[in-house]
Amino acid sequence: MLRRGARWAAGATAAVCVLLLLGPGTPGGGASRIAEAVPDRVATWNICNPCGGSRQNYGRATEIAAYAPQVVGLQEACVRDVEQIRDHLEEAYGLVYRVEYGPVLQNWNRCGGLPWRPGGYGQAILSAAPMTDRVSVEYPDGGSEDRGYLAVTTLVGGRPVRVFNTHLAERRQAEVRAGQVKVLAAEVERHDRAIVLGDFNAAPHAAELTPMWSLATDPDPGCRPSAASADADADADADACTATTDWNSKFDYVFLRGITPRTHHVRPSPHSDHHLLHTDLNPTR
Protein backbone atom coordinates (compact mmCIF):
# COMPACT_ATOMS: atom_id res chain seq x y z
CA MET A 1 0.00 0.00 0.00
CA LEU A 2 2.81 2.39 0.79
CA ARG A 3 4.49 1.69 -2.53
CA ARG A 4 1.20 2.12 -4.42
CA GLY A 5 0.53 5.35 -2.54
CA ALA A 6 3.98 6.63 -3.38
CA ARG A 7 3.43 5.88 -7.08
CA TRP A 8 0.05 7.68 -6.96
CA ALA A 9 1.60 10.71 -5.29
CA ALA A 10 4.42 10.81 -7.83
CA GLY A 11 1.92 10.57 -10.68
CA ALA A 12 -0.22 13.34 -9.25
CA THR A 13 2.84 15.54 -8.81
CA ALA A 14 3.84 14.95 -12.43
CA ALA A 15 0.34 15.82 -13.63
CA VAL A 16 0.40 19.06 -11.69
CA CYS A 17 3.79 19.90 -13.20
CA VAL A 18 2.46 19.29 -16.72
CA LEU A 19 -0.52 21.55 -16.05
CA LEU A 20 1.77 24.25 -14.76
CA LEU A 21 3.99 23.97 -17.82
CA LEU A 22 1.07 24.05 -20.23
CA GLY A 23 -0.64 26.80 -18.34
CA PRO A 24 -4.34 27.59 -18.53
CA GLY A 25 -3.76 29.59 -21.72
CA THR A 26 -4.11 26.61 -24.04
CA PRO A 27 -7.25 26.64 -26.25
CA GLY A 28 -10.30 26.18 -24.08
CA GLY A 29 -8.51 27.26 -20.90
CA GLY A 30 -8.33 30.53 -19.05
CA ALA A 31 -5.78 33.31 -19.36
CA SER A 32 -2.18 32.13 -19.43
CA ARG A 33 -1.05 35.42 -17.96
CA ILE A 34 -2.63 38.61 -16.73
CA ALA A 35 -1.46 41.10 -19.32
CA GLU A 36 -1.87 44.81 -19.87
CA ALA A 37 -1.69 46.70 -23.12
CA VAL A 38 1.33 48.91 -23.74
CA PRO A 39 -0.16 52.40 -23.24
CA ASP A 40 1.78 54.24 -25.99
CA ARG A 41 1.75 51.50 -28.65
CA VAL A 42 -0.51 51.44 -31.73
CA ALA A 43 -0.78 48.93 -34.55
CA THR A 44 -2.43 48.39 -37.92
CA TRP A 45 -3.13 45.14 -39.75
CA ASN A 46 -5.09 44.05 -42.81
CA ILE A 47 -6.05 40.58 -41.62
CA CYS A 48 -7.65 39.08 -44.73
CA ASN A 49 -6.06 36.66 -47.24
CA PRO A 50 -6.27 34.10 -45.93
CA CYS A 51 -9.63 35.23 -44.60
CA GLY A 52 -11.72 33.87 -41.76
CA GLY A 53 -11.43 30.59 -39.91
CA SER A 54 -11.05 29.95 -36.19
CA ARG A 55 -7.46 28.74 -36.57
CA GLN A 56 -6.47 31.93 -38.41
CA ASN A 57 -8.20 34.08 -35.81
CA TYR A 58 -6.46 32.34 -32.91
CA GLY A 59 -3.14 32.89 -34.71
CA ARG A 60 -3.98 36.54 -35.27
CA ALA A 61 -4.78 36.98 -31.59
CA THR A 62 -1.41 35.44 -30.75
CA GLU A 63 0.34 37.90 -33.09
CA ILE A 64 -1.43 40.86 -31.52
CA ALA A 65 -0.77 39.61 -27.98
CA ALA A 66 2.95 39.39 -28.71
CA TYR A 67 3.03 43.21 -28.71
CA ALA A 68 -0.16 44.11 -26.82
CA PRO A 69 -0.82 47.51 -28.44
CA GLN A 70 -3.07 50.01 -26.75
CA VAL A 71 -4.92 50.46 -30.05
CA VAL A 72 -5.16 48.10 -33.03
CA GLY A 73 -6.74 49.02 -36.36
CA LEU A 74 -7.93 46.02 -38.40
CA GLN A 75 -8.93 46.16 -42.06
CA GLU A 76 -10.85 43.65 -44.21
CA ALA A 77 -12.38 42.47 -40.98
CA CYS A 78 -15.57 40.46 -40.60
CA VAL A 79 -17.40 41.14 -37.35
CA ARG A 80 -17.40 37.44 -36.44
CA ASP A 81 -13.63 37.20 -36.97
CA VAL A 82 -12.99 40.24 -34.78
CA GLU A 83 -15.24 38.79 -32.08
CA GLN A 84 -13.16 35.58 -32.08
CA ILE A 85 -9.87 37.50 -32.03
CA ARG A 86 -11.09 39.66 -29.15
CA ASP A 87 -12.28 36.62 -27.18
CA HIS A 88 -8.96 34.81 -27.72
CA LEU A 89 -7.00 37.86 -26.56
CA GLU A 90 -8.94 37.93 -23.30
CA GLU A 91 -9.25 34.20 -22.63
CA ALA A 92 -5.73 33.14 -23.63
CA TYR A 93 -3.69 36.25 -22.81
CA GLY A 94 -5.70 38.30 -20.35
CA LEU A 95 -5.82 41.29 -22.74
CA VAL A 96 -9.17 43.05 -22.55
CA TYR A 97 -10.11 45.23 -25.52
CA ARG A 98 -13.14 47.29 -26.37
CA VAL A 99 -14.17 47.18 -30.03
CA GLU A 100 -15.84 49.52 -32.51
CA TYR A 101 -16.85 48.47 -36.01
CA GLY A 102 -16.99 50.39 -39.27
CA PRO A 103 -18.71 48.00 -41.68
CA VAL A 104 -19.02 49.03 -45.32
CA LEU A 105 -20.62 45.78 -46.51
CA GLN A 106 -23.16 43.30 -45.18
CA ASN A 107 -21.97 40.26 -47.08
CA TRP A 108 -23.18 36.70 -46.49
CA ASN A 109 -20.69 35.13 -48.93
CA ARG A 110 -17.72 36.95 -47.43
CA CYS A 111 -18.55 36.96 -43.74
CA GLY A 112 -21.11 34.20 -43.27
CA GLY A 113 -24.26 34.52 -41.26
CA LEU A 114 -27.80 33.96 -42.44
CA PRO A 115 -29.09 35.27 -45.79
CA TRP A 116 -31.32 37.73 -43.95
CA ARG A 117 -28.60 38.60 -41.40
CA PRO A 118 -25.28 38.67 -43.24
CA GLY A 119 -22.01 39.42 -41.51
CA GLY A 120 -20.57 42.94 -41.36
CA TYR A 121 -17.30 43.61 -43.19
CA GLY A 122 -14.94 46.59 -43.12
CA GLN A 123 -12.81 48.20 -40.42
CA ALA A 124 -12.56 47.58 -36.69
CA ILE A 125 -10.67 49.30 -33.87
CA LEU A 126 -9.65 47.47 -30.72
CA SER A 127 -8.72 49.71 -27.79
CA ALA A 128 -7.74 48.89 -24.24
CA ALA A 129 -9.20 52.25 -23.16
CA PRO A 130 -12.82 53.32 -23.68
CA MET A 131 -13.72 54.86 -27.04
CA THR A 132 -16.12 57.73 -27.68
CA ASP A 133 -17.49 59.79 -30.57
CA ARG A 134 -17.48 56.90 -33.04
CA VAL A 135 -17.96 57.88 -36.69
CA SER A 136 -18.14 55.43 -39.59
CA VAL A 137 -18.01 56.93 -43.09
CA GLU A 138 -18.26 55.32 -46.50
CA TYR A 139 -16.33 57.07 -49.25
CA PRO A 140 -18.52 58.47 -52.04
CA ASP A 141 -16.65 56.26 -54.51
CA GLY A 142 -15.28 52.99 -53.16
CA GLY A 143 -13.91 51.75 -56.45
CA SER A 144 -14.44 48.06 -57.14
CA GLU A 145 -15.64 47.51 -53.55
CA ASP A 146 -17.20 49.77 -50.93
CA ARG A 147 -14.53 51.37 -48.75
CA GLY A 148 -14.55 53.83 -45.86
CA TYR A 149 -13.00 54.94 -42.58
CA LEU A 150 -13.81 54.51 -38.90
CA ALA A 151 -12.87 57.16 -36.32
CA VAL A 152 -12.99 57.21 -32.51
CA THR A 153 -11.55 59.22 -29.66
CA THR A 154 -9.59 57.25 -27.06
CA LEU A 155 -6.54 57.43 -24.80
CA VAL A 156 -3.09 56.59 -26.13
CA GLY A 157 -0.18 57.09 -23.77
CA GLY A 158 -2.65 58.49 -21.27
CA ARG A 159 -3.72 61.36 -23.54
CA PRO A 160 -6.84 61.72 -25.69
CA VAL A 161 -6.33 61.38 -29.42
CA ARG A 162 -8.51 60.97 -32.49
CA VAL A 163 -7.84 57.60 -34.13
CA PHE A 164 -8.78 56.83 -37.74
CA ASN A 165 -8.76 53.45 -39.43
CA THR A 166 -9.18 53.18 -43.20
CA HIS A 167 -8.85 50.91 -46.21
CA LEU A 168 -8.51 52.62 -49.59
CA ALA A 169 -9.43 51.37 -53.04
CA GLU A 170 -7.44 48.60 -54.73
CA ARG A 171 -3.93 49.27 -56.00
CA ARG A 172 -4.84 49.90 -59.69
CA GLN A 173 -7.44 52.53 -58.75
CA ALA A 174 -5.26 55.55 -58.02
CA GLU A 175 -7.86 58.12 -59.12
CA VAL A 176 -10.42 56.63 -56.75
CA ARG A 177 -7.91 56.64 -53.90
CA ALA A 178 -7.13 60.30 -54.58
CA GLY A 179 -10.76 61.18 -53.92
CA GLN A 180 -10.85 59.03 -50.81
CA VAL A 181 -7.69 60.63 -49.38
CA LYS A 182 -9.20 64.09 -49.85
CA VAL A 183 -12.23 63.06 -47.79
CA LEU A 184 -10.07 61.51 -45.08
CA ALA A 185 -7.48 64.31 -44.95
CA ALA A 186 -10.18 66.96 -44.58
CA GLU A 187 -11.39 65.24 -41.41
CA VAL A 188 -7.88 64.54 -40.04
CA GLU A 189 -6.96 68.20 -40.47
CA ARG A 190 -9.63 69.17 -37.94
CA HIS A 191 -7.61 67.56 -35.13
CA ASP A 192 -4.33 68.72 -33.59
CA ARG A 193 -3.59 65.18 -32.38
CA ALA A 194 -4.51 62.31 -34.65
CA ILE A 195 -3.39 58.79 -35.53
CA VAL A 196 -4.36 57.43 -38.94
CA LEU A 197 -4.05 53.66 -39.32
CA GLY A 198 -4.74 51.64 -42.39
CA ASP A 199 -4.11 49.92 -45.68
CA PHE A 200 -3.73 52.71 -48.25
CA ASN A 201 -3.00 50.35 -51.17
CA ALA A 202 -0.34 52.79 -52.40
CA ALA A 203 3.43 53.20 -52.10
CA PRO A 204 4.72 56.29 -50.23
CA HIS A 205 5.63 58.21 -53.40
CA ALA A 206 2.15 57.80 -54.93
CA ALA A 207 0.68 61.18 -55.82
CA GLU A 208 -2.68 60.44 -54.20
CA LEU A 209 -1.05 60.27 -50.74
CA THR A 210 0.25 63.86 -50.92
CA PRO A 211 -2.58 65.30 -48.76
CA MET A 212 -1.73 62.84 -45.99
CA TRP A 213 2.00 63.58 -46.09
CA SER A 214 1.22 67.31 -45.83
CA LEU A 215 -0.65 66.70 -42.57
CA ALA A 216 1.20 63.86 -40.88
CA THR A 217 4.34 61.73 -40.79
CA ASP A 218 4.96 57.99 -40.83
CA PRO A 219 7.22 56.45 -38.14
CA ASP A 220 9.32 54.46 -40.64
CA PRO A 221 12.60 56.45 -40.39
CA GLY A 222 13.78 55.55 -43.90
CA CYS A 223 10.50 56.13 -45.64
CA ARG A 224 9.36 59.49 -46.97
CA PRO A 225 7.61 60.52 -50.20
CA SER A 226 9.99 61.25 -53.05
CA ALA A 227 10.28 64.90 -54.00
CA ALA A 228 11.69 63.93 -57.39
CA SER A 229 9.45 63.00 -60.29
CA ALA A 230 11.87 60.64 -62.00
CA ASP A 231 10.78 57.01 -61.82
CA ALA A 232 14.27 55.89 -60.78
CA ASP A 233 14.27 58.27 -57.82
CA ALA A 234 10.79 57.18 -56.83
CA ASP A 235 11.78 53.53 -56.98
CA ALA A 236 14.86 54.21 -54.85
CA ASP A 237 12.70 56.01 -52.32
CA ALA A 238 10.28 53.08 -52.17
CA ASP A 239 13.19 50.68 -51.61
CA ALA A 240 14.12 52.61 -48.44
CA CYS A 241 10.73 51.79 -46.89
CA THR A 242 10.15 48.68 -44.82
CA ALA A 243 7.80 46.45 -46.80
CA THR A 244 4.46 45.68 -45.13
CA THR A 245 3.18 43.09 -47.62
CA ASP A 246 4.20 39.69 -48.95
CA TRP A 247 4.88 41.31 -52.35
CA ASN A 248 7.53 43.62 -50.84
CA SER A 249 5.57 46.87 -51.00
CA LYS A 250 4.71 49.35 -48.28
CA PHE A 251 0.93 49.76 -48.36
CA ASP A 252 0.24 50.00 -44.61
CA TYR A 253 0.74 53.17 -42.58
CA VAL A 254 0.61 54.73 -39.14
CA PHE A 255 0.29 58.43 -39.95
CA LEU A 256 0.89 60.67 -36.92
CA ARG A 257 -0.32 64.24 -36.53
CA GLY A 258 0.89 66.23 -33.51
CA ILE A 259 2.59 63.09 -32.14
CA THR A 260 6.18 61.87 -32.52
CA PRO A 261 7.18 58.19 -32.76
CA ARG A 262 9.89 56.34 -30.83
CA THR A 263 9.97 52.98 -32.61
CA HIS A 264 8.77 51.30 -35.78
CA HIS A 265 8.37 47.54 -36.22
CA VAL A 266 6.94 45.33 -38.96
CA ARG A 267 6.14 41.68 -38.20
CA PRO A 268 5.46 39.26 -41.10
CA SER A 269 2.75 36.74 -40.35
CA PRO A 270 1.42 33.52 -41.88
CA HIS A 271 -2.09 34.71 -41.03
CA SER A 272 -2.29 37.46 -43.66
CA ASP A 273 -0.50 38.67 -46.79
CA HIS A 274 -0.07 42.01 -44.97
CA HIS A 275 2.34 42.37 -42.05
CA LEU A 276 1.45 43.59 -38.59
CA LEU A 277 2.89 47.10 -38.23
CA HIS A 278 3.22 48.65 -34.78
CA THR A 279 4.89 51.72 -33.37
CA ASP A 280 5.57 53.16 -29.93
CA LEU A 281 4.85 56.84 -29.48
CA ASN A 282 6.78 59.51 -27.67
CA PRO A 283 4.78 60.26 -24.51
CA THR A 284 6.10 63.82 -24.29
CA ARG A 285 3.99 65.00 -27.24
Side-chain angles (χ1 to χ4, degrees):
M1 288 293 294
L2 290 174
R3 184 177 298 173
R4 183 180 301 173
R7 285 201 301 266
W8 182 89
T13 300
V16 170
C17 290
V18 168
L19 288 173
L20 290 173
L21 286 172
L22 289 176
T26 53
S32 60
R33 58 189 174 88
I34 302 301
E36 292 185 1
V38 180
D40 56 359
R41 181 171 294 167
V42 297
T44 184
W45 197 10
N46 182 323
I47 62 173
C48 194
N49 196 19
C51 305
S54 296
R55 178 178 294 181
Q56 296 293 346
N57 291 332
Y58 190 83
R60 290 165 182 151
T62 300
E63 299 278 0
I64 293 170
Y67 295 102
Q70 175 78 23
V71 172
V72 189
L74 302 177
Q75 304 89 43
E76 292 201 69
C78 291
V79 169
R80 288 174 178 82
D81 289 335
V82 176
E83 288 173 344
Q84 284 192 337
I85 291 169
R86 183 188 181 199
D87 288 346
H88 286 321
L89 283 165
E90 182 170 359
E91 293 169 3
Y93 300 102
L95 287 163
V96 179
Y97 285 99
R98 286 92 169 166
V99 61
E100 291 289 355
Y101 297 99
V104 292
L105 290 174
Q106 300 295 327
N107 193 304
W108 179 74
N109 288 329
R110 185 186 291 271
C111 292
L114 300 172
W116 56 89
R117 191 168 175 255
Y121 170 83
Q123 288 72 242
I125 294 176
L126 301 178
S127 174
M131 292 177 279
T132 61
D133 303 320
R134 170 193 173 275
V135 174
S136 181
V137 174
E138 282 194 43
Y139 294 122
D141 184 359
S144 56
E145 181 180 82
D146 293 345
R147 296 289 165 90
Y149 73 80
L150 170 67
V152 300
T153 298
T154 189
L155 295 179
V156 178
R159 297 187 61 187
V161 62
R162 193 66 171 165
V163 178
F164 296 81
N165 182 23
T166 191
H167 185 197
L168 300 189
E170 294 180 355
R171 68 181 83 175
R172 294 180 179 84
Q173 300 173 340
E175 291 185 6
V176 176
R177 287 196 301 275
Q180 294 170 347
V181 171
K182 288 179 181 178
V183 173
L184 177 64
E187 184 61 26
V188 173
E189 191 174 14
R190 296 179 59 244
H191 302 275
D192 294 332
R193 288 172 46 84
I195 300 170
V196 185
L197 310 170
D199 174 5
F200 282 71
N201 267 320
H205 59 267
E208 63 266 29
L209 296 190
T210 300
M212 285 306 307
W213 286 114
S214 68
L215 292 173
T217 59
D218 182 88
D220 188 340
C223 187
R224 296 293 181 269
S226 176
S229 60
D231 290 341
D233 290 335
D235 289 342
D237 182 67
D239 289 342
C241 303
T242 304
T244 65
T245 64
D246 286 353
W247 55 93
N248 296 320
S249 295
K250 178 178 170 63
F251 279 6
D252 304 273
Y253 297 82
V254 175
F255 280 113
L256 302 175
R257 176 171 170 83
I259 304 169
T260 57
R262 287 192 293 115
T263 64
H264 171 268
H265 298 283
V266 177
R267 178 186 175 96
S269 169
H271 305 292
S272 174
D273 59 356
H274 286 253
H275 306 337
L276 175 65
L277 187 162
H278 71 91
T279 185
D280 290 350
L281 308 178
N282 190 333
T284 61
R285 279 200 64 196

